[in-house]
Amino acid sequence: PTPALDARLYAAGLAAGRAEGAEELRLVLAAGRNGPAELRVRAWHAAALLRDAVGDAAGARRALLAGARILDTYRAALGATELRTLAASYATDLAATGLRLARQTGRARSVLWWAERWKAAALRLPPARPPHEPALAADLAELRRAVAEADSGVPAGRVNALWRQRRALEERIRRRSWHARGSGSASRSPNLLARLGGELADRTLFELIDIGGELHVIVVHRGRFRSRPLGRTDRVVAELEALRFALRRIVLRHGGPASRSAAVQGARHAAEQLDRALFAPVRGWLGDGELVVVPVGLLHATPWALLPTCRGRAVSVAPSATAWLDATARAAGAPPGGRPLLVAGPGLTHADREVRRLADALAPAEVFVGAAAGAEPVLAALDGAPLAHVAAHGGFRSDNPMFSYLRLADGPITVYDLEQVARPPAVVVLSACESGLSTVHPGDELMGLAAALLGVGTATVLGSVLPAQDEATLELMLDLHRRLAGGSGAAAALAAAQAEMDGTLDERSATAAAFVCFGAG
C-alpha cells in the first residue's frame, strides 16, 4: 500500500495543474485516511497539495502540520534510535512541501521554523534506551569477546567463524533493541524563535537547508533573521568530498612527496572553494562571535576549522537549532565538581601517555588504562562523570552506525552500550579516529557515536570527522584540556588549540582541524 500511494503522489506531481493530477491526490486521500501512520501521513500530504492547488496556502499548512503530528506520535511510541531515525522517511515529501511553501512567503523566520519542524526531530524525544534485559547484555558482551578474539591473531579459519558469529550477534542485538518502548508522547520545543534570540547573545546561528536540491542558509544574529540561496547542494558537497579525500591522503601519508604536495594543494583549494560557497555570500551577517553551525546532509562531515572563515573561531556544530538550545540548557544545568574520567584503549601508541599526562594535569581524576579499561567498569564510571576523555581506536560503521565503536581492553563498546548510560557526562572528548562521523538519514536524522551521546543527554561532544595521527592528537588534547581547565568553553578551547597547530598543512595540522565541537560548545 505505501509504495502504491507514493506512486500516485509522484504521478500527481507529473500531472500538477491538470485534472488527472487532482484525481490522483483524491485517491491517495481516500486510500490513506484510515490506515497506519505511514499511509495517513501521505494522505495529509495529498490534502495539502490539493489545498495548495486551489490557492489555500493556510489550509495546506494546516494539513502538513496534521501529517507531522501523526509522525510525531508514531515516533514517540518507538523506543529504539534506529526505528525513530528511519521513521523520518515517512514524511520526506511532506517536509519538502512545507519548506517550499515557507520559502514562497519570503520570510526567513518561516523557513527556519519549518526546517526545525523536521530537522533531527528524533532528538526532541526522551533518550532511547535499549531494553534492560540479561539476554541483550549477554549478546553485547559476546560481541565484544568475538571481535577481540578475531583481532588477537587467531588462524584464518577461526577468524571467518568469528566474523560469521559477529554478524549473527549484531542482527540479534538490533532486533532486541526494537522492542524498547517509547515515551508515548512527542516533546515540543516551544517558542523556538524567541528562545534563539535570547540564547545566541553575541553568537551567530548559521543553519543550512536543502530545498529541492538548492542550498539555502538562515543566519540569525542579534535578533535578526536573514536568508539567501547558496546554489546547488551537490556542487557544495562535491567540494567537501574533494577536501575530505585530500585530507585523508595527508593524514595517512599516502604516496610520495609529489603526491602529498598535490594533496595539500587540493585540500587548500577545496577549503577555499567551500568557504566561498558557504560563507562569502553572507559574510557581513556573521558578526565576530562564536558560530553555531547547523549543517545539512553530507556537510555534517565537514572539518570546519580548515575553512578560512572558521579558522581560529569558536564553532559549535549541532543537528538542529532546537538540539543546540537543548544542549545549551543541559550544559547550564550540569552540576559542578566531580572527578573527570580518563580512559586509554589498547593499540594506540599515544593513548596511555595521553591519559597519564592528563591525569597529572587534571588530578584528582578517575583513570582507566591497560586491562582495567574494560567495557563494564568504563561504562559504569561514565554514569555521572562531569567530563570523560576516551583515547582509543574508534571506528565508524557506515553499514550500521549503531555499531560504530570505541575499542577498550576487552573489545568494542558501541552506540547500544552508550545508550544505557543513565547520567552521561556533560562533556565527552573522543580522542579517536572518525568518532564525530554520523550517517545522515531523511530529516537530517543522525546515527553515530557523537549523535548517540547528544541523544542520551551529553551537552558537548568533541570528536574527529577524519582519521587522526597519534602524536598530533596527543598535542592537541593536552592543549585543549589546559584551556578547558582554565575556564574556556569547549568550542573556544578547541579553536584556540587548533590555531596553535595551524600553519603548513601537514598531517599534524590536518589532524587538529578534523576535530569538531558538537552540541552546546
Side-chain angles (χ1 to χ4, degrees), residues 69 71-78 84 121-122 124-126 181-188:
R69 284 191 289 269
L71 178 60
D72 286 344
T73 302
Y74 173 75
R75 184 157 34 193
L78 303 173
R84 289 177 177 181
R124 297 200 300 263
L125 296 169
R181 300 184 63 147
S183 65
S185 61
S187 61
R188 292 284 186 269

PDB file of all heavy atoms in Angstrom, residues 69 71-78 84 121-122 124-126 181-188:
ATOM      1  N   ARG A  69       2.081  15.839  12.960  1.00  0.00           N
ATOM      2  CA  ARG A  69       1.703  15.379  14.301  1.00  0.00           C
ATOM      3  C   ARG A  69       1.502  13.865  14.350  1.00  0.00           C
ATOM      4  O   ARG A  69       1.811  13.210  15.349  1.00  0.00           O
ATOM      5  CB  ARG A  69       0.437  16.108  14.753  1.00  0.00           C
ATOM      6  CG  ARG A  69       0.704  17.547  15.181  1.00  0.00           C
ATOM      7  CD  ARG A  69      -0.499  18.152  15.878  1.00  0.00           C
ATOM      8  NE  ARG A  69      -1.581  18.413  14.942  1.00  0.00           N
ATOM      9  CZ  ARG A  69      -1.748  19.555  14.283  1.00  0.00           C
ATOM     10  NH1 ARG A  69      -0.882  20.550  14.447  1.00  0.00           N
ATOM     11  NH2 ARG A  69      -2.772  19.724  13.459  1.00  0.00           N
ATOM     12  N   LEU A  71       3.180  11.699  12.551  1.00  0.00           N
ATOM     13  CA  LEU A  71       4.530  11.145  12.598  1.00  0.00           C
ATOM     14  C   LEU A  71       5.131  11.310  13.987  1.00  0.00           C
ATOM     15  O   LEU A  71       5.779  10.389  14.508  1.00  0.00           O
ATOM     16  CB  LEU A  71       5.425  11.814  11.550  1.00  0.00           C
ATOM     17  CG  LEU A  71       6.876  11.338  11.532  1.00  0.00           C
ATOM     18  CD1 LEU A  71       6.960   9.851  11.257  1.00  0.00           C
ATOM     19  CD2 LEU A  71       7.690  12.118  10.508  1.00  0.00           C
ATOM     20  N   ASP A  72       4.934  12.465  14.621  1.00  0.00           N
ATOM     21  CA  ASP A  72       5.458  12.681  15.969  1.00  0.00           C
ATOM     22  C   ASP A  72       4.922  11.634  16.940  1.00  0.00           C
ATOM     23  O   ASP A  72       5.672  11.061  17.746  1.00  0.00           O
ATOM     24  CB  ASP A  72       5.072  14.077  16.467  1.00  0.00           C
ATOM     25  CG  ASP A  72       5.867  15.184  15.806  1.00  0.00           C
ATOM     26  OD1 ASP A  72       6.906  14.879  15.190  1.00  0.00           O
ATOM     27  OD2 ASP A  72       5.451  16.355  15.899  1.00  0.00           O
ATOM     28  N   THR A  73       3.622  11.397  16.890  1.00  0.00           N
ATOM     29  CA  THR A  73       3.004  10.434  17.802  1.00  0.00           C
ATOM     30  C   THR A  73       3.518   9.027  17.539  1.00  0.00           C
ATOM     31  O   THR A  73       3.817   8.261  18.476  1.00  0.00           O
ATOM     32  CB  THR A  73       1.472  10.473  17.652  1.00  0.00           C
ATOM     33  OG1 THR A  73       1.013  11.795  17.921  1.00  0.00           O
ATOM     34  CG2 THR A  73       0.805   9.503  18.615  1.00  0.00           C
ATOM     35  N   TYR A  74       3.629   8.685  16.257  1.00  0.00           N
ATOM     36  CA  TYR A  74       4.129   7.356  15.895  1.00  0.00           C
ATOM     37  C   TYR A  74       5.564   7.165  16.383  1.00  0.00           C
ATOM     38  O   TYR A  74       5.907   6.145  16.997  1.00  0.00           O
ATOM     39  CB  TYR A  74       4.063   7.188  14.382  1.00  0.00           C
ATOM     40  CG  TYR A  74       4.711   5.918  13.875  1.00  0.00           C
ATOM     41  CD1 TYR A  74       4.097   4.690  14.020  1.00  0.00           C
ATOM     42  CD2 TYR A  74       5.960   5.969  13.247  1.00  0.00           C
ATOM     43  CE1 TYR A  74       4.694   3.528  13.568  1.00  0.00           C
ATOM     44  CE2 TYR A  74       6.568   4.814  12.790  1.00  0.00           C
ATOM     45  CZ  TYR A  74       5.935   3.601  12.949  1.00  0.00           C
ATOM     46  OH  TYR A  74       6.534   2.458  12.503  1.00  0.00           O
ATOM     47  N   ARG A  75       6.409   8.160  16.136  1.00  0.00           N
ATOM     48  CA  ARG A  75       7.820   8.038  16.503  1.00  0.00           C
ATOM     49  C   ARG A  75       7.982   7.985  18.018  1.00  0.00           C
ATOM     50  O   ARG A  75       8.873   7.298  18.533  1.00  0.00           O
ATOM     51  CB  ARG A  75       8.603   9.206  15.900  1.00  0.00           C
ATOM     52  CG  ARG A  75      10.078   9.113  16.146  1.00  0.00           C
ATOM     53  CD  ARG A  75      10.905   9.869  15.161  1.00  0.00           C
ATOM     54  NE  ARG A  75      10.308  11.093  14.684  1.00  0.00           N
ATOM     55  CZ  ARG A  75      10.776  11.761  13.633  1.00  0.00           C
ATOM     56  NH1 ARG A  75      11.821  11.305  12.975  1.00  0.00           N
ATOM     57  NH2 ARG A  75      10.207  12.889  13.242  1.00  0.00           N
ATOM     58  N   ALA A  76       7.153   8.731  18.762  1.00  0.00           N
ATOM     59  CA  ALA A  76       7.269   8.746  20.214  1.00  0.00           C
ATOM     60  C   ALA A  76       6.956   7.391  20.825  1.00  0.00           C
ATOM     61  O   ALA A  76       7.407   7.096  21.944  1.00  0.00           O
ATOM     62  CB  ALA A  76       6.339   9.809  20.803  1.00  0.00           C
ATOM     63  N   ALA A  77       6.198   6.563  20.122  1.00  0.00           N
ATOM     64  CA  ALA A  77       5.882   5.231  20.639  1.00  0.00           C
ATOM     65  C   ALA A  77       7.032   4.251  20.439  1.00  0.00           C
ATOM     66  O   ALA A  77       7.012   3.150  20.989  1.00  0.00           O
ATOM     67  CB  ALA A  77       4.624   4.701  19.960  1.00  0.00           C
ATOM     68  N   LEU A  78       8.032   4.650  19.653  1.00  0.00           N
ATOM     69  CA  LEU A  78       9.180   3.788  19.388  1.00  0.00           C
ATOM     70  C   LEU A  78      10.275   4.076  20.404  1.00  0.00           C
ATOM     71  O   LEU A  78      10.540   5.225  20.730  1.00  0.00           O
ATOM     72  CB  LEU A  78       9.712   4.029  17.973  1.00  0.00           C
ATOM     73  CG  LEU A  78       8.707   3.842  16.838  1.00  0.00           C
ATOM     74  CD1 LEU A  78       9.330   4.290  15.515  1.00  0.00           C
ATOM     75  CD2 LEU A  78       8.267   2.386  16.744  1.00  0.00           C
ATOM     76  N   ARG A  84      13.314   5.137  15.272  1.00  0.00           N
ATOM     77  CA  ARG A  84      12.941   6.554  15.290  1.00  0.00           C
ATOM     78  C   ARG A  84      13.560   7.294  14.105  1.00  0.00           C
ATOM     79  O   ARG A  84      12.926   8.128  13.457  1.00  0.00           O
ATOM     80  CB  ARG A  84      13.432   7.207  16.582  1.00  0.00           C
ATOM     81  CG  ARG A  84      12.699   6.799  17.828  1.00  0.00           C
ATOM     82  CD  ARG A  84      13.345   7.477  19.027  1.00  0.00           C
ATOM     83  NE  ARG A  84      12.645   7.191  20.271  1.00  0.00           N
ATOM     84  CZ  ARG A  84      13.006   7.689  21.443  1.00  0.00           C
ATOM     85  NH1 ARG A  84      14.061   8.486  21.531  1.00  0.00           N
ATOM     86  NH2 ARG A  84      12.321   7.393  22.536  1.00  0.00           N
ATOM     87  N   ALA A 121      14.409  15.514  14.343  1.00  0.00           N
ATOM     88  CA  ALA A 121      13.269  15.517  15.269  1.00  0.00           C
ATOM     89  C   ALA A 121      13.361  14.401  16.303  1.00  0.00           C
ATOM     90  O   ALA A 121      12.800  14.518  17.396  1.00  0.00           O
ATOM     91  CB  ALA A 121      11.959  15.402  14.483  1.00  0.00           C
ATOM     92  N   ALA A 122      14.059  13.309  15.986  1.00  0.00           N
ATOM     93  CA  ALA A 122      14.186  12.218  16.957  1.00  0.00           C
ATOM     94  C   ALA A 122      14.882  12.683  18.228  1.00  0.00           C
ATOM     95  O   ALA A 122      14.643  12.142  19.314  1.00  0.00           O
ATOM     96  CB  ALA A 122      14.943  11.050  16.338  1.00  0.00           C
ATOM     97  N   ARG A 124      14.338  15.334  19.783  1.00  0.00           N
ATOM     98  CA  ARG A 124      13.407  16.023  20.668  1.00  0.00           C
ATOM     99  C   ARG A 124      12.706  15.062  21.618  1.00  0.00           C
ATOM    100  O   ARG A 124      12.035  15.487  22.552  1.00  0.00           O
ATOM    101  CB  ARG A 124      12.357  16.789  19.849  1.00  0.00           C
ATOM    102  CG  ARG A 124      12.925  17.902  18.980  1.00  0.00           C
ATOM    103  CD  ARG A 124      11.841  18.898  18.602  1.00  0.00           C
ATOM    104  NE  ARG A 124      10.748  18.285  17.868  1.00  0.00           N
ATOM    105  CZ  ARG A 124      10.646  18.303  16.544  1.00  0.00           C
ATOM    106  NH1 ARG A 124      11.591  18.877  15.816  1.00  0.00           N
ATOM    107  NH2 ARG A 124       9.611  17.729  15.943  1.00  0.00           N
ATOM    108  N   LEU A 125      12.846  13.764  21.369  1.00  0.00           N
ATOM    109  CA  LEU A 125      12.201  12.759  22.210  1.00  0.00           C
ATOM    110  C   LEU A 125      13.086  12.416  23.407  1.00  0.00           C
ATOM    111  O   LEU A 125      14.301  12.626  23.370  1.00  0.00           O
ATOM    112  CB  LEU A 125      11.946  11.494  21.390  1.00  0.00           C
ATOM    113  CG  LEU A 125      10.963  11.648  20.226  1.00  0.00           C
ATOM    114  CD1 LEU A 125      11.017  10.405  19.349  1.00  0.00           C
ATOM    115  CD2 LEU A 125       9.557  11.885  20.737  1.00  0.00           C
ATOM    116  N   PRO A 126      12.498  11.870  24.479  1.00  0.00           N
ATOM    117  CA  PRO A 126      13.333  11.369  25.580  1.00  0.00           C
ATOM    118  C   PRO A 126      14.340  10.350  25.045  1.00  0.00           C
ATOM    119  O   PRO A 126      14.087   9.685  24.030  1.00  0.00           O
ATOM    120  CB  PRO A 126      12.316  10.711  26.518  1.00  0.00           C
ATOM    121  CG  PRO A 126      11.022  11.408  26.223  1.00  0.00           C
ATOM    122  CD  PRO A 126      11.060  11.720  24.747  1.00  0.00           C
ATOM    123  N   ARG A 181      10.392   0.315  24.567  1.00  0.00           N
ATOM    124  CA  ARG A 181       9.170   1.110  24.485  1.00  0.00           C
ATOM    125  C   ARG A 181       9.513   2.595  24.507  1.00  0.00           C
ATOM    126  O   ARG A 181      10.412   3.030  25.221  1.00  0.00           O
ATOM    127  CB  ARG A 181       8.235   0.784  25.653  1.00  0.00           C
ATOM    128  CG  ARG A 181       7.808  -0.673  25.680  1.00  0.00           C
ATOM    129  CD  ARG A 181       6.809  -0.897  26.783  1.00  0.00           C
ATOM    130  NE  ARG A 181       5.591  -0.135  26.549  1.00  0.00           N
ATOM    131  CZ  ARG A 181       4.390  -0.552  26.903  1.00  0.00           C
ATOM    132  NH1 ARG A 181       4.234  -1.721  27.487  1.00  0.00           N
ATOM    133  NH2 ARG A 181       3.341   0.195  26.680  1.00  0.00           N
ATOM    134  N   GLY A 182       8.760   3.374  23.732  1.00  0.00           N
ATOM    135  CA  GLY A 182       8.937   4.818  23.729  1.00  0.00           C
ATOM    136  C   GLY A 182       8.137   5.477  24.834  1.00  0.00           C
ATOM    137  O   GLY A 182       7.450   4.827  25.630  1.00  0.00           O
ATOM    138  N   SER A 183       8.202   6.792  24.861  1.00  0.00           N
ATOM    139  CA  SER A 183       7.525   7.551  25.900  1.00  0.00           C
ATOM    140  C   SER A 183       6.027   7.663  25.652  1.00  0.00           C
ATOM    141  O   SER A 183       5.259   7.934  26.562  1.00  0.00           O
ATOM    142  CB  SER A 183       8.109   8.966  25.961  1.00  0.00           C
ATOM    143  OG  SER A 183       7.832   9.652  24.745  1.00  0.00           O
ATOM    144  N   GLY A 184       5.616   7.482  24.394  1.00  0.00           N
ATOM    145  CA  GLY A 184       4.211   7.598  24.062  1.00  0.00           C
ATOM    146  C   GLY A 184       3.757   9.003  23.749  1.00  0.00           C
ATOM    147  O   GLY A 184       2.656   9.223  23.272  1.00  0.00           O
ATOM    148  N   SER A 185       4.599   9.992  24.014  1.00  0.00           N
ATOM    149  CA  SER A 185       4.215  11.377  23.719  1.00  0.00           C
ATOM    150  C   SER A 185       5.398  12.105  23.119  1.00  0.00           C
ATOM    151  O   SER A 185       6.542  11.886  23.517  1.00  0.00           O
ATOM    152  CB  SER A 185       3.741  12.103  24.980  1.00  0.00           C
ATOM    153  OG  SER A 185       4.773  12.152  25.933  1.00  0.00           O
ATOM    154  N   ALA A 186       5.116  12.958  22.156  1.00  0.00           N
ATOM    155  CA  ALA A 186       6.180  13.719  21.488  1.00  0.00           C
ATOM    156  C   ALA A 186       6.460  14.985  22.263  1.00  0.00           C
ATOM    157  O   ALA A 186       5.553  15.674  22.708  1.00  0.00           O
ATOM    158  CB  ALA A 186       5.754  14.056  20.062  1.00  0.00           C
ATOM    159  N   SER A 187       7.739  15.295  22.441  1.00  0.00           N
ATOM    160  CA  SER A 187       8.108  16.516  23.150  1.00  0.00           C
ATOM    161  C   SER A 187       8.075  17.688  22.176  1.00  0.00           C
ATOM    162  O   SER A 187       8.164  17.525  20.974  1.00  0.00           O
ATOM    163  CB  SER A 187       9.499  16.372  23.763  1.00  0.00           C
ATOM    164  OG  SER A 187      10.458  16.154  22.758  1.00  0.00           O
ATOM    165  N   ARG A 188       7.963  18.871  22.705  1.00  0.00           N
ATOM    166  CA  ARG A 188       7.939  20.078  21.895  1.00  0.00           C
ATOM    167  C   ARG A 188       9.018  21.030  22.383  1.00  0.00           C
ATOM    168  O   ARG A 188       9.442  20.983  23.536  1.00  0.00           O
ATOM    169  CB  ARG A 188       6.581  20.784  22.011  1.00  0.00           C
ATOM    170  CG  ARG A 188       5.432  20.005  21.382  1.00  0.00           C
ATOM    171  CD  ARG A 188       5.474  20.120  19.860  1.00  0.00           C
ATOM    172  NE  ARG A 188       4.307  19.509  19.252  1.00  0.00           N
ATOM    173  CZ  ARG A 188       4.258  18.253  18.876  1.00  0.00           C
ATOM    174  NH1 ARG A 188       5.288  17.471  19.067  1.00  0.00           N
ATOM    175  NH2 ARG A 188       3.176  17.767  18.310  1.00  0.00           N
TER     176      ARG A 188
END
